[in-house]
PDB file of all heavy atoms in Angstrom:
ATOM      1  N   ILE A   1      59.734 -77.775 -60.389  1.00  0.00           N
ATOM      2  CA  ILE A   1      61.014 -78.054 -59.726  1.00  0.00           C
ATOM      3  C   ILE A   1      61.544 -76.787 -59.065  1.00  0.00           C
ATOM      4  O   ILE A   1      62.005 -76.823 -57.910  1.00  0.00           O
ATOM      5  CB  ILE A   1      62.032 -78.633 -60.725  1.00  0.00           C
ATOM      6  CG1 ILE A   1      61.583 -80.034 -61.165  1.00  0.00           C
ATOM      7  CG2 ILE A   1      63.444 -78.653 -60.137  1.00  0.00           C
ATOM      8  CD1 ILE A   1      62.304 -80.562 -62.389  1.00  0.00           C
ATOM      9  N   ARG A   2      61.464 -75.654 -59.751  1.00  0.00           N
ATOM     10  CA  ARG A   2      61.914 -74.388 -59.163  1.00  0.00           C
ATOM     11  C   ARG A   2      61.099 -74.047 -57.923  1.00  0.00           C
ATOM     12  O   ARG A   2      61.642 -73.567 -56.926  1.00  0.00           O
ATOM     13  CB  ARG A   2      61.845 -73.262 -60.189  1.00  0.00           C
ATOM     14  CG  ARG A   2      63.037 -73.228 -61.130  1.00  0.00           C
ATOM     15  CD  ARG A   2      63.082 -71.941 -61.942  1.00  0.00           C
ATOM     16  NE  ARG A   2      61.969 -71.824 -62.867  1.00  0.00           N
ATOM     17  CZ  ARG A   2      61.924 -72.373 -64.081  1.00  0.00           C
ATOM     18  NH1 ARG A   2      62.937 -73.092 -64.510  1.00  0.00           N
ATOM     19  NH2 ARG A   2      60.880 -72.205 -64.857  1.00  0.00           N
ATOM     20  N   ALA A   3      59.790 -74.287 -57.970  1.00  0.00           N
ATOM     21  CA  ALA A   3      58.938 -74.011 -56.808  1.00  0.00           C
ATOM     22  C   ALA A   3      59.352 -74.882 -55.616  1.00  0.00           C
ATOM     23  O   ALA A   3      59.434 -74.396 -54.486  1.00  0.00           O
ATOM     24  CB  ALA A   3      57.470 -74.233 -57.163  1.00  0.00           C
ATOM     25  N   LEU A   4      59.621 -76.160 -55.872  1.00  0.00           N
ATOM     26  CA  LEU A   4      60.064 -77.039 -54.786  1.00  0.00           C
ATOM     27  C   LEU A   4      61.431 -76.623 -54.267  1.00  0.00           C
ATOM     28  O   LEU A   4      61.686 -76.655 -53.059  1.00  0.00           O
ATOM     29  CB  LEU A   4      60.084 -78.492 -55.244  1.00  0.00           C
ATOM     30  CG  LEU A   4      58.724 -79.171 -55.250  1.00  0.00           C
ATOM     31  CD1 LEU A   4      58.815 -80.525 -55.935  1.00  0.00           C
ATOM     32  CD2 LEU A   4      58.179 -79.308 -53.856  1.00  0.00           C
ATOM     33  N   ASP A   5      62.324 -76.213 -55.162  1.00  0.00           N
ATOM     34  CA  ASP A   5      63.634 -75.726 -54.729  1.00  0.00           C
ATOM     35  C   ASP A   5      63.475 -74.510 -53.816  1.00  0.00           C
ATOM     36  O   ASP A   5      64.193 -74.374 -52.818  1.00  0.00           O
ATOM     37  CB  ASP A   5      64.513 -75.374 -55.925  1.00  0.00           C
ATOM     38  CG  ASP A   5      65.085 -76.597 -56.622  1.00  0.00           C
ATOM     39  OD1 ASP A   5      65.102 -77.696 -56.007  1.00  0.00           O
ATOM     40  OD2 ASP A   5      65.503 -76.458 -57.790  1.00  0.00           O
ATOM     41  N   ASP A   6      62.531 -73.636 -54.135  1.00  0.00           N
ATOM     42  CA  ASP A   6      62.262 -72.467 -53.302  1.00  0.00           C
ATOM     43  C   ASP A   6      61.775 -72.901 -51.916  1.00  0.00           C
ATOM     44  O   ASP A   6      62.260 -72.410 -50.896  1.00  0.00           O
ATOM     45  CB  ASP A   6      61.232 -71.557 -53.970  1.00  0.00           C
ATOM     46  CG  ASP A   6      60.880 -70.381 -53.083  1.00  0.00           C
ATOM     47  OD1 ASP A   6      61.789 -69.610 -52.716  1.00  0.00           O
ATOM     48  OD2 ASP A   6      59.678 -70.233 -52.743  1.00  0.00           O
ATOM     49  N   LEU A   7      60.833 -73.849 -51.864  1.00  0.00           N
ATOM     50  CA  LEU A   7      60.328 -74.333 -50.578  1.00  0.00           C
ATOM     51  C   LEU A   7      61.442 -74.985 -49.773  1.00  0.00           C
ATOM     52  O   LEU A   7      61.568 -74.743 -48.560  1.00  0.00           O
ATOM     53  CB  LEU A   7      59.187 -75.329 -50.784  1.00  0.00           C
ATOM     54  CG  LEU A   7      57.945 -74.830 -51.505  1.00  0.00           C
ATOM     55  CD1 LEU A   7      56.892 -75.931 -51.552  1.00  0.00           C
ATOM     56  CD2 LEU A   7      57.388 -73.571 -50.879  1.00  0.00           C
ATOM     57  N   LEU A   8      62.262 -75.803 -50.427  1.00  0.00           N
ATOM     58  CA  LEU A   8      63.380 -76.448 -49.737  1.00  0.00           C
ATOM     59  C   LEU A   8      64.386 -75.422 -49.232  1.00  0.00           C
ATOM     60  O   LEU A   8      64.915 -75.558 -48.124  1.00  0.00           O
ATOM     61  CB  LEU A   8      64.052 -77.472 -50.643  1.00  0.00           C
ATOM     62  CG  LEU A   8      63.278 -78.776 -50.791  1.00  0.00           C
ATOM     63  CD1 LEU A   8      63.739 -79.551 -52.021  1.00  0.00           C
ATOM     64  CD2 LEU A   8      63.402 -79.616 -49.528  1.00  0.00           C
ATOM     65  N   GLY A   9      64.640 -74.394 -50.022  1.00  0.00           N
ATOM     66  CA  GLY A   9      65.552 -73.336 -49.583  1.00  0.00           C
ATOM     67  C   GLY A   9      65.035 -72.641 -48.333  1.00  0.00           C
ATOM     68  O   GLY A   9      65.795 -72.393 -47.386  1.00  0.00           O
ATOM     69  N   ARG A  10      63.747 -72.325 -48.320  1.00  0.00           N
ATOM     70  CA  ARG A  10      63.152 -71.696 -47.134  1.00  0.00           C
ATOM     71  C   ARG A  10      63.275 -72.621 -45.924  1.00  0.00           C
ATOM     72  O   ARG A  10      63.617 -72.185 -44.830  1.00  0.00           O
ATOM     73  CB  ARG A  10      61.678 -71.386 -47.375  1.00  0.00           C
ATOM     74  CG  ARG A  10      61.435 -70.301 -48.373  1.00  0.00           C
ATOM     75  CD  ARG A  10      59.956 -70.187 -48.644  1.00  0.00           C
ATOM     76  NE  ARG A  10      59.717 -69.308 -49.770  1.00  0.00           N
ATOM     77  CZ  ARG A  10      58.781 -68.382 -49.771  1.00  0.00           C
ATOM     78  NH1 ARG A  10      57.987 -68.230 -48.733  1.00  0.00           N
ATOM     79  NH2 ARG A  10      58.622 -67.616 -50.826  1.00  0.00           N
ATOM     80  N   LEU A  11      62.998 -73.880 -46.134  1.00  0.00           N
ATOM     81  CA  LEU A  11      63.044 -74.843 -45.034  1.00  0.00           C
ATOM     82  C   LEU A  11      64.466 -75.036 -44.527  1.00  0.00           C
ATOM     83  O   LEU A  11      64.707 -75.048 -43.318  1.00  0.00           O
ATOM     84  CB  LEU A  11      62.443 -76.175 -45.485  1.00  0.00           C
ATOM     85  CG  LEU A  11      62.255 -77.242 -44.416  1.00  0.00           C
ATOM     86  CD1 LEU A  11      61.569 -76.712 -43.177  1.00  0.00           C
ATOM     87  CD2 LEU A  11      61.468 -78.396 -44.998  1.00  0.00           C
ATOM     88  N   HIS A  12      65.443 -75.134 -45.421  1.00  0.00           N
ATOM     89  CA  HIS A  12      66.833 -75.304 -44.991  1.00  0.00           C
ATOM     90  C   HIS A  12      67.324 -74.073 -44.232  1.00  0.00           C
ATOM     91  O   HIS A  12      68.098 -74.213 -43.274  1.00  0.00           O
ATOM     92  CB  HIS A  12      67.743 -75.609 -46.174  1.00  0.00           C
ATOM     93  CG  HIS A  12      67.614 -77.016 -46.664  1.00  0.00           C
ATOM     94  ND1 HIS A  12      67.972 -78.103 -45.905  1.00  0.00           N
ATOM     95  CD2 HIS A  12      67.150 -77.512 -47.834  1.00  0.00           C
ATOM     96  CE1 HIS A  12      67.739 -79.210 -46.585  1.00  0.00           C
ATOM     97  NE2 HIS A  12      67.239 -78.877 -47.754  1.00  0.00           N
ATOM     98  N   ARG A  13      66.882 -72.885 -44.625  1.00  0.00           N
ATOM     99  CA  ARG A  13      67.273 -71.674 -43.894  1.00  0.00           C
ATOM    100  C   ARG A  13      66.700 -71.680 -42.482  1.00  0.00           C
ATOM    101  O   ARG A  13      67.309 -71.153 -41.561  1.00  0.00           O
ATOM    102  CB  ARG A  13      66.824 -70.421 -44.641  1.00  0.00           C
ATOM    103  CG  ARG A  13      67.687 -70.092 -45.849  1.00  0.00           C
ATOM    104  CD  ARG A  13      67.366 -68.732 -46.426  1.00  0.00           C
ATOM    105  NE  ARG A  13      66.053 -68.648 -47.026  1.00  0.00           N
ATOM    106  CZ  ARG A  13      65.730 -69.071 -48.251  1.00  0.00           C
ATOM    107  NH1 ARG A  13      66.645 -69.627 -49.015  1.00  0.00           N
ATOM    108  NH2 ARG A  13      64.507 -68.926 -48.720  1.00  0.00           N
ATOM    109  N   GLN A  14      65.512 -72.239 -42.307  1.00  0.00           N
ATOM    110  CA  GLN A  14      64.852 -72.253 -41.009  1.00  0.00           C
ATOM    111  C   GLN A  14      65.097 -73.542 -40.229  1.00  0.00           C
ATOM    112  O   GLN A  14      64.753 -73.612 -39.050  1.00  0.00           O
ATOM    113  CB  GLN A  14      63.341 -72.077 -41.196  1.00  0.00           C
ATOM    114  CG  GLN A  14      62.949 -70.777 -41.851  1.00  0.00           C
ATOM    115  CD  GLN A  14      63.319 -69.560 -41.017  1.00  0.00           C
ATOM    116  OE1 GLN A  14      63.443 -69.642 -39.807  1.00  0.00           O
ATOM    117  NE2 GLN A  14      63.509 -68.437 -41.670  1.00  0.00           N
ATOM    118  N   ALA A  15      65.655 -74.563 -40.858  1.00  0.00           N
ATOM    119  CA  ALA A  15      65.773 -75.895 -40.253  1.00  0.00           C
ATOM    120  C   ALA A  15      66.425 -75.903 -38.872  1.00  0.00           C
ATOM    121  O   ALA A  15      66.000 -76.687 -38.028  1.00  0.00           O
ATOM    122  CB  ALA A  15      66.492 -76.845 -41.203  1.00  0.00           C
ATOM    123  N   PRO A  16      67.431 -75.086 -38.593  1.00  0.00           N
ATOM    124  CA  PRO A  16      68.015 -75.153 -37.245  1.00  0.00           C
ATOM    125  C   PRO A  16      66.993 -74.876 -36.140  1.00  0.00           C
ATOM    126  O   PRO A  16      67.122 -75.383 -35.043  1.00  0.00           O
ATOM    127  CB  PRO A  16      69.106 -74.084 -37.263  1.00  0.00           C
ATOM    128  CG  PRO A  16      69.476 -73.966 -38.697  1.00  0.00           C
ATOM    129  CD  PRO A  16      68.184 -74.200 -39.461  1.00  0.00           C
ATOM    130  N   GLU A  17      65.971 -74.086 -36.438  1.00  0.00           N
ATOM    131  CA  GLU A  17      64.946 -73.774 -35.450  1.00  0.00           C
ATOM    132  C   GLU A  17      63.880 -74.860 -35.364  1.00  0.00           C
ATOM    133  O   GLU A  17      63.178 -74.956 -34.373  1.00  0.00           O
ATOM    134  CB  GLU A  17      64.219 -72.475 -35.826  1.00  0.00           C
ATOM    135  CG  GLU A  17      65.069 -71.244 -35.787  1.00  0.00           C
ATOM    136  CD  GLU A  17      64.253 -70.024 -36.188  1.00  0.00           C
ATOM    137  OE1 GLU A  17      63.024 -70.023 -36.003  1.00  0.00           O
ATOM    138  OE2 GLU A  17      64.860 -69.072 -36.691  1.00  0.00           O
ATOM    139  N   CYS A  18      63.727 -75.653 -36.396  1.00  0.00           N
ATOM    140  CA  CYS A  18      62.613 -76.599 -36.488  1.00  0.00           C
ATOM    141  C   CYS A  18      62.943 -77.913 -35.785  1.00  0.00           C
ATOM    142  O   CYS A  18      64.062 -78.395 -35.856  1.00  0.00           O
ATOM    143  CB  CYS A  18      62.271 -76.882 -37.946  1.00  0.00           C
ATOM    144  SG  CYS A  18      61.645 -75.442 -38.794  1.00  0.00           S
ATOM    145  N   PRO A  19      61.943 -78.510 -35.142  1.00  0.00           N
ATOM    146  CA  PRO A  19      62.183 -79.808 -34.507  1.00  0.00           C
ATOM    147  C   PRO A  19      62.553 -80.864 -35.550  1.00  0.00           C
ATOM    148  O   PRO A  19      62.033 -80.861 -36.649  1.00  0.00           O
ATOM    149  CB  PRO A  19      60.829 -80.153 -33.874  1.00  0.00           C
ATOM    150  CG  PRO A  19      60.024 -78.922 -33.924  1.00  0.00           C
ATOM    151  CD  PRO A  19      60.608 -78.026 -34.974  1.00  0.00           C
ATOM    152  N   ARG A  20      63.453 -81.740 -35.162  1.00  0.00           N
ATOM    153  CA  ARG A  20      63.875 -82.832 -36.035  1.00  0.00           C
ATOM    154  C   ARG A  20      63.284 -84.124 -35.495  1.00  0.00           C
ATOM    155  O   ARG A  20      62.969 -84.237 -34.317  1.00  0.00           O
ATOM    156  CB  ARG A  20      65.409 -82.954 -36.055  1.00  0.00           C
ATOM    157  CG  ARG A  20      66.121 -81.659 -36.411  1.00  0.00           C
ATOM    158  CD  ARG A  20      65.760 -81.199 -37.763  1.00  0.00           C
ATOM    159  NE  ARG A  20      66.755 -81.667 -38.694  1.00  0.00           N
ATOM    160  CZ  ARG A  20      66.878 -81.210 -39.909  1.00  0.00           C
ATOM    161  NH1 ARG A  20      66.067 -80.293 -40.342  1.00  0.00           N
ATOM    162  NH2 ARG A  20      67.781 -81.681 -40.718  1.00  0.00           N
ATOM    163  N   HIS A  21      63.212 -85.094 -36.353  1.00  0.00           N
ATOM    164  CA  HIS A  21      62.749 -86.404 -35.934  1.00  0.00           C
ATOM    165  C   HIS A  21      63.794 -86.979 -34.967  1.00  0.00           C
ATOM    166  O   HIS A  21      64.986 -86.847 -35.206  1.00  0.00           O
ATOM    167  CB  HIS A  21      62.603 -87.312 -37.146  1.00  0.00           C
ATOM    168  CG  HIS A  21      61.949 -88.602 -36.852  1.00  0.00           C
ATOM    169  ND1 HIS A  21      62.622 -89.654 -36.282  1.00  0.00           N
ATOM    170  CD2 HIS A  21      60.663 -89.006 -37.019  1.00  0.00           C
ATOM    171  CE1 HIS A  21      61.796 -90.656 -36.127  1.00  0.00           C
ATOM    172  NE2 HIS A  21      60.601 -90.292 -36.555  1.00  0.00           N
ATOM    173  N   PRO A  22      63.381 -87.582 -33.849  1.00  0.00           N
ATOM    174  CA  PRO A  22      64.368 -88.087 -32.872  1.00  0.00           C
ATOM    175  C   PRO A  22      65.396 -89.030 -33.482  1.00  0.00           C
ATOM    176  O   PRO A  22      66.559 -88.998 -33.096  1.00  0.00           O
ATOM    177  CB  PRO A  22      63.508 -88.841 -31.853  1.00  0.00           C
ATOM    178  CG  PRO A  22      62.160 -88.235 -31.983  1.00  0.00           C
ATOM    179  CD  PRO A  22      62.021 -87.788 -33.418  1.00  0.00           C
ATOM    180  N   MET A  23      65.032 -89.855 -34.445  1.00  0.00           N
ATOM    181  CA  MET A  23      65.980 -90.764 -35.084  1.00  0.00           C
ATOM    182  C   MET A  23      67.029 -89.980 -35.863  1.00  0.00           C
ATOM    183  O   MET A  23      68.177 -90.371 -35.912  1.00  0.00           O
ATOM    184  CB  MET A  23      65.250 -91.738 -36.011  1.00  0.00           C
ATOM    185  CG  MET A  23      64.301 -92.673 -35.296  1.00  0.00           C
ATOM    186  SD  MET A  23      65.148 -93.799 -34.208  1.00  0.00           S
ATOM    187  CE  MET A  23      65.850 -94.899 -35.416  1.00  0.00           C
ATOM    188  N   ALA A  24      66.634 -88.867 -36.477  1.00  0.00           N
ATOM    189  CA  ALA A  24      67.579 -88.076 -37.265  1.00  0.00           C
ATOM    190  C   ALA A  24      68.579 -87.354 -36.359  1.00  0.00           C
ATOM    191  O   ALA A  24      69.706 -87.138 -36.738  1.00  0.00           O
ATOM    192  CB  ALA A  24      66.830 -87.067 -38.124  1.00  0.00           C
ATOM    193  N   GLN A  25      68.155 -86.991 -35.158  1.00  0.00           N
ATOM    194  CA  GLN A  25      69.048 -86.264 -34.257  1.00  0.00           C
ATOM    195  C   GLN A  25      70.212 -87.128 -33.792  1.00  0.00           C
ATOM    196  O   GLN A  25      71.290 -86.618 -33.544  1.00  0.00           O
ATOM    197  CB  GLN A  25      68.274 -85.779 -33.031  1.00  0.00           C
ATOM    198  CG  GLN A  25      67.321 -84.662 -33.368  1.00  0.00           C
ATOM    199  CD  GLN A  25      66.547 -84.207 -32.138  1.00  0.00           C
ATOM    200  OE1 GLN A  25      66.755 -84.710 -31.039  1.00  0.00           O
ATOM    201  NE2 GLN A  25      65.658 -83.262 -32.326  1.00  0.00           N
ATOM    202  N   THR A  26      69.985 -88.419 -33.685  1.00  0.00           N
ATOM    203  CA  THR A  26      71.044 -89.286 -33.192  1.00  0.00           C
ATOM    204  C   THR A  26      71.917 -89.854 -34.293  1.00  0.00           C
ATOM    205  O   THR A  26      72.942 -90.438 -34.033  1.00  0.00           O
ATOM    206  CB  THR A  26      70.437 -90.454 -32.376  1.00  0.00           C
ATOM    207  OG1 THR A  26      69.569 -91.200 -33.225  1.00  0.00           O
ATOM    208  CG2 THR A  26      69.686 -89.940 -31.163  1.00  0.00           C
TER     209      THR A  26
END
């Protein structure tokens, strides 16, 4: 769980740069 939390934290920090699914953007 801690390892997944670490991965999610990294992803959330970078998420503004990452492409989103078109359905999620709207």
Side-chain angles (χ1 to χ4, degrees):
I1 292 166
R2 279 192 294 276
L4 280 171
D5 284 342
D6 177 58
L7 299 183
L8 284 161
R10 291 174 190 224
L11 187 49
H12 284 295
R13 284 190 293 279
Q14 299 296 335
E17 295 179 27
C18 294
R20 306 298 265 195
H21 189 280
M23 296 294 286
Q25 289 179 2
T26 60

